[in-house]
Amino acid sequence: MSTRILVVQPDDAVPAGTLGEWLQEAGAELDTRLGGTDDVPVTADGYDGVVCLGGGMNALADDTYPWLADVRRLLSTSVGNGVATLGVCLGGQLLAAATGGVVNPGPQGPEAGPKLVSKKDAAWTDPLFAELPLMPDVLEFHRDSIEMLPGGATLLASTPLYPHQAFRVGKRGYGLQFHIETTRDIVDTWVARSPDVAGVAKPGAFDVDTVDRMHADIAETWRPFAHRFVDLAAGTLRPADDPRRGLPLA
């Protein structure tokens, strides 16, 4: 039987991209819900995993996007119930906020372009992160940042500018500050839509050749990661030990 994964897409310009393809390669059946258009369930009943993608809004912008409260509740209950959960960029910020962390505008300003993140010690024994290289390739494109991790969360990757790049909360909950799912067309859309964010990247960061090389490097590392996430959701990959008890609800 297929592994059913609920994909929450907060922003129509931020689709699952190659991440969705990699999840399906590993046998996942995806049910994608677009925030503000489709109903977003507040529990993961009937699903084996949850993925929340990125978006241009703040994780707590409920006045403008009232459905964000339901997304945070979904992420909180999913992690609390031990459902495999992955948040990417805004999704990682929503996961952090949903489980007791703090998300604010990044004090160092936006972060954008191809980057390397550094694995922390705990990542070497994590079921999803252990096989990643010491400094995996990622794409950064964000204004907000995770200022404080949820209590009991495990930091898995960091950079000097913004230290909370990846974390685990509970046994099967993972948040990423960066992107791994993009295509050239998706990146081009973001650059055109958010020139203030794109403008902080190094010169040439979004040239065609640079973006293509970045995506090849990202696929080499994160495609197997996505496959392992499906195994985690399916129950064929043993989860990490849970240091937490009693996750707060958003």
Side-chain angles (χ1 to χ4, degrees):
M1 293 180 63
S2 296
T3 302
R4 297 196 70 221
I5 294 180
L6 172 64
V7 178
V8 179
Q9 182 180 338
D11 190 322
D12 59 5
V14 192
T18 52
L19 174 60
E21 295 174 6
W22 299 335
L23 296 173
Q24 290 174 311
E25 283 177 355
E29 175 188 340
L30 306 185
D31 178 4
T32 301
R33 307 291 181 95
L34 181 62
T37 300
D38 303 321
D39 290 335
V40 177
V42 295
T43 72
D45 292 350
Y47 297 96
D48 302 297
V50 174
V51 173
C52 185
L53 301 168
M57 65 284 288
N58 180 274
L60 299 173
D62 295 9
D63 289 346
T64 306
Y65 308 97
W67 46 267
L68 284 175
D70 287 342
V71 176
R72 293 195 304 273
R73 180 61 61 88
L74 167 67
L75 295 173
S76 177
T77 56
S78 297
V79 172
N81 291 332
V83 176
T85 304
L86 176 64
V88 179
C89 202
L90 172 64
Q93 296 166 0
L94 286 162
L95 176 61
T99 54
V102 176
V103 176
N104 281 318
Q108 306 301 323
E111 186 177 28
K115 302 280 186 177
L116 298 174
V117 297
S118 298
K119 283 172 64 174
K120 307 300 286 185
D121 287 349
W124 295 104
T125 57
D126 180 84
L128 295 190
F129 276 75
E131 295 185 28
L132 269 62
L134 174 63
M135 300 183 71
D137 293 273
V138 303
L139 170 65
E140 301 281 6
F141 207 94
H142 63 96
R143 295 185 183 89
D144 297 339
S145 67
I146 301 167
E147 182 175 316
M148 184 176 72
L149 291 178
T154 300
L155 183 63
L156 298 172
S158 186
T159 65
L161 188 64
Y162 288 113
H164 301 140
Q165 291 287 341
F167 66 95
R168 185 184 69 239
V169 60
K171 297 177 70 174
R172 293 183 174 89
Y174 290 84
L176 311 179
Q177 177 60 84
F178 46 81
H179 292 277
I180 60 174
E181 80 285 15
T182 53
T183 65
R184 188 196 303 170
D185 287 344
I186 293 171
V187 172
D188 287 347
T189 297
W190 296 356
V191 170
R193 186 177 78 163
S194 303
D196 61 317
V197 179
V200 306
K202 293 180 179 179
F206 296 113
D207 290 349
V208 170
D209 289 345
T210 302
V211 170
D212 286 348
R213 286 195 302 270
M214 173 192 72
H215 283 139
D217 291 338
I218 286 175
E220 184 176 357
T221 295
W222 296 100
R223 183 183 182 188
F225 172 94
H227 292 180
R228 290 194 294 275
F229 180 78
V230 175
D231 291 340
L232 185 69
T236 57
L237 180 65
R238 181 180 177 183
D241 293 333
D242 186 358
R244 306 193 58 178
R245 295 295 183 269
L247 292 170
L249 296 178

